[in-house]
Structure formats: C-alpha cells, structure tokens
Amino acid sequence: MSERLRKLLTEDRAWFFALLLVMAAAAWFSFAQLKRVPPELVSGQVDHIYTVRDILSGSAALSFPRNLVSEPLQYLWGALLTFLTGAQLSFVGLKLAYALANLAAIYYICRLGTEIFDRWVGLTAAFLLSVSFWQIIQTRALLGSGLVVPLGCAAVYYLFSGYANHKANDLLLSAFFVGLGLLTNKIFLIFPLAALVAACFWLMFNREAGSGRALFSAIAQALLLGAVVCVPLLRSLFDGPAAYLAPILSRVSDYEIALSGSPIRIFFGNLWQALGIANWSNRGSWVDGLTLNPGLDLLSAAFFVLGVCAVVFNLRKSKDWRPAALLALYPLLLLPSAFSLAFPLENPSLSRALTALIPVCVLSAVGLRAISGALLAWQPSRGSRYKLALAGLVFFSILGFNFRAAFSEYPAAYRQNAWNSSEMANLIWQTELNTGFPQNVWVVGYPYWVDARAVAIEANRMGQDLALMPEQLEQTLNVPGYKLFLIHPLDSASVAKLQELYPTGTIAMVESSVPEKNFLVFLVEP
C-alpha cells in the first residue's frame, strides 16, 4: 500500500489530487445542509416517513400503494439505516440514508466511464454526478428516487463490463441490480430493453464465432436471476395487479382521462421534448426539481452536447460498440417520461427520466475532455499553469452553478410553495416552554392547507393525530389542560366557533418568514 501511495504522489500526482478534489466535492454536496434542503415536509414525504415507521414497527408488506412509489426497497433501506444507527426516525435521517447510497452511484459511474473511455472520463463523470443538482434534489425529495441512480449505475456498469470483457458473472450482477431496481421504482421496467439494445450493439461489432450463442446463454441466465430477485415484486403484482399497474396505465392510456390526440403523435412529441431535458427545460414539480429549467448546469449542458457530437463523429472510425450503445441509452432511458401520453404536461419529468442522468454525465465528461484537449492543443506552450488554471476555472464554475441551484434556488422556490409546518412546530415548542406544561395541540382542517402529520413529525409527536376537522371542535371541551389550536388565517368559521366554546381563549396571528404563510393560533388555558 505504501509503495502504491508513493507512486501516486510521485508519478501520478495530478490523478491523485484530482481524485481527492472529487471525493471532497462529493462528500460536501452529498451531506451539506441536510436539514435545510429541502426545508419543509409535504404530504408525499410524510407518507414516506410513516411507511418506514411501519416497517420498523414490524410491517412485512411488499407494496405501499398509498405512496407515490409503491415498491418496498427504498423504505427497507431507510428502515435498515435507522435501525443500525439507533437514531430516531426523522426527515433528516432518511435524507442521510439516501445520501450514503448515492456514494455507490458515484463509484459505479466512475467505473463505467473508465470502462468505456478512460479513467479521466470516469473521474470527471463521477464529479459531475456528485455535484449534479438534478441528482441531489431527487435524492433529498423523498418521493421515491433515493436508490434509483445507485442501482442504475451499477446495472449499467456491469452490463457494459459483461459484454465488453465476456464476463457472464457481470451480466448476472447487472440482472441482479436491475431486479433490485424493480423493487425500487417502476422506471426500471425499461432496463430489460436497455440490456437488449446493448446486446444488439455488441453483436453488430462482435463477429467472433460462437459469440451469439454465448450471448444468449448469458442473457438467459441473467433473466432467470432477475426473475428470482423479483419474486417479492411478482407476488405483490399477483396479489394486487390493479394497484401496481394503475400508475402505469393512467399515464400510457385513457385509463384515467381520455387522450388528447393520437397516441403516436403524443409519444413522439413527448420524446422530442424529453430529449431537451438535460440542456433545455423540464416540467417536474417544485418538490423534486427546478421547474422549467434544464436538468444540468450551464457548463455541463454545453459539455453534454459536445460529448454527443464527439461520440457521433468518432463512430465512423471506431470499432468500439460501447460509445454507440451509451449514446443510444440516452433516449431509451427517457421513455418512462415520454410515455406520459395522458398527461403530456408532466413531460419531461426529472424523476421519471432520472436514470438518463447516467449516460448524460458520462457524455458530458467526454465533452469536457474533448474541449480541454482542443484548448490545450491550441496553446501547448503555456505549460502546467495554463492547464491548472483551466481545470480550476471549470471545476469551480460547475461547483458554483450547482451549489446555487441545489442550495439556494431550490430551497427558496420550495419554501414559497410548501406550507410552513416547521414554524408551526416551533410555535408548539415555544408555547410549551413559556407555559411550562405540555400542550394539547390540534391543527384545524382547511382545504389545501398544511398536513397535520407534517406538523406532528416536526414537533417530535410522530404518531399523534393532530388533525381536527371544524365540526369536531366541540369534542375538545372534555380534554383537560392547555389547548393550542393552529388555524388557517381565512378560516373565520372555526375562529368564531372556538371563541364561542372558549370565551377566555386568546387568539393571535403568527407571522411567517414567508409571505402569505401566516397562521392563527388560539390558546386556551385551564
């Protein structure tokens, strides 16, 4: 080990320090500001947390249809990390669990880039993925994408390695990770087609005798392994096929609403728009993305286009099937988003097209290498200082763009749209501190207002039912002790009812740090 380290420091110093920089950037972007990004809980995240709580309480369910993503693996991962650390189940704790899983994605995309191109492309792809605001936001939003990229990177790497190096075991590992992916998110249903496309490219470039027979034998073994891994999912599908298929059918057919035109026309229109997700725009929600913005920062988007051009240009003189297959994966992995035929305004979706980030980062790394090589060839006499300055400019520019998107623009837009459950929880704590007594707390229901479960989680009262409908206000008369009611500022009927029930109660308007997020508090002392 010491000899290897000495060689790195003396003969391969540039690679060693570049590796350290990438590792530092990956660690910081993965774990920085976990509490602040995102800043509030919404209902989908509450469902996620309560599902993990159910698993920790002994639930053995294989499907969770109340959630946006019903597949169980991500919830099991969150429960496992919570159990092993002994920490209290929390929003921050689950974000940490998926951030740890993201480190595996960074490792495998580095190996993927190295396998197809070279180690510098691999390291650059790892850097671009580790700081990508697209990936960071998806990981932290807790809407079902926490394990998608780690499993996707592993599956794609072993797929390419298996074909390129004639390793049947790698193809089996790819099938294994695809099986785990199918237990994580429905977008992995596209991966068998991705494997078939990669096999076709391999056959086109590989004319060795017996190669086709070996290929189909390996594919058969991989399919068998994938089916074995998916046994829990298959059982869940057989027990309740409608629950599993409904989210798919509601998007690809008129299962929920009638299609607005020809399915073929809508599909190709969707696919055309989805192709611009990396460098033009997306139509994701404010919960898990920056709506109407490209999925990449300015520089990475430009490098992606350059990378695509470089691969296409080299196809004529290259006999390597892997760059062509990687290029084909990009539109292929956009299909889960493009198939939103019934709701075309949901396309392009950052969450449904998330696995497309894998070829995007590798191709962006290729583009960065191509432009760097051209600039260095243009000024070969400038020496190492010129190279260092160029690398530093690109490195810190990409860091800056993604930092602003993930840690400034996203939380600001999120806070403007989400209800301020954390401020309501802080008020509960402050009231208990001022009175010296625990409070009986209720969040009076109002259309399109805060989720009372989110307030309970933020106030460390998970499991307590804080929701109270206006017609249930009279039921609180028999509850002894302090009583605290949180009310929507426009709910004058509930205010009038409470003042009738508790003439000595005090009411106040609590000003939020976000305009139009104020709320009323009604306090009743015993």
Side-chain angles (χ1 to χ4, degrees), residues 234-476:
L234 295 174
R235 177 185 171 184
S236 175
L237 179 59
F238 289 138
D239 289 344
Y244 182 84
L245 295 175
I248 301 174
L249 296 176
S250 66
R251 281 348 185 234
V252 303
S253 69
D254 56 1
Y255 178 83
E256 188 171 319
I257 64 170
L259 300 184
S260 59
S262 166
I264 296 177
R265 180 184 61 81
I266 296 173
F267 169 73
F268 282 106
N270 281 357
L271 183 59
W272 175 254
Q273 290 185 331
L275 289 171
I277 192 173
N279 47 17
W280 187 253
S281 182
N282 82 89
R283 289 175 176 163
S285 72
W286 53 266
V287 180
D288 60 354
L290 291 170
T291 307
L292 302 180
N293 281 276
L296 299 180
D297 64 89
L298 180 64
L299 281 179
S300 298
F303 294 145
F304 170 65
V305 175
L306 289 173
V308 171
C309 294
V311 169
V312 171
F313 180 78
N314 288 327
L315 285 179
R316 296 178 300 173
K317 55 183 179 180
S318 174
K319 295 184 179 181
D320 190 350
W321 62 273
R322 294 171 297 178
L326 181 73
L327 189 62
L329 280 187
Y330 175 60
L332 192 64
L333 296 178
L334 293 173
L335 292 182
S337 176
F339 270 118
S340 184
L341 306 182
F343 299 91
L345 292 181
E346 294 180 353
N347 173 72
S349 166
L350 291 176
S351 58
R352 294 176 192 155
L354 183 55
T355 51
L357 184 58
I358 300 168
V360 164
C361 285
V362 178
L363 291 170
S364 296
V366 173
L368 176 55
R369 185 189 64 174
I371 191 65
S372 300
L375 290 175
L376 293 175
W378 178 54
Q379 292 285 357
S381 61
R382 293 290 184 91
S384 59
R385 291 186 178 180
Y386 175 71
K387 297 179 182 178
L388 185 62
L390 179 63
L393 177 63
V394 172
F395 179 82
F396 287 106
S397 296
I398 292 176
L399 282 181
F401 287 139
N402 284 280
F403 175 85
R404 183 178 65 183
F407 300 108
S408 178
E409 295 176 2
Y410 169 64
Y414 190 104
R415 193 178 291 277
Q416 288 293 328
N417 289 278
W419 287 106
N420 47 334
S421 58
S422 62
E423 291 183 335
M424 298 179 189
N426 289 333
L427 175 73
I428 295 171
W429 294 334
Q430 189 62 47
T431 305
E432 290 183 343
L433 183 63
N434 293 340
T435 61
F437 295 94
Q439 304 293 304
N440 296 297
V441 180
W442 294 279
V443 179
V444 182
Y446 193 81
Y448 309 109
W449 197 37
V450 68
D451 190 328
R453 300 172 303 165
V455 179
I457 292 172
E458 295 280 12
N460 289 329
R461 293 177 176 227
M462 189 184 303
Q464 290 189 23
D465 185 9
L466 303 187
L468 185 72
M469 299 308 295
E471 57 270 20
Q472 298 174 316
L473 289 173
E474 290 188 12
Q475 298 176 12
T476 64

Side-chain angles (χ1 to χ4, degrees), residues 9 93 176 180 217 395 417:
L9 291 173
F176 173 75
L180 293 181
S217 175
F395 179 82
N417 289 278

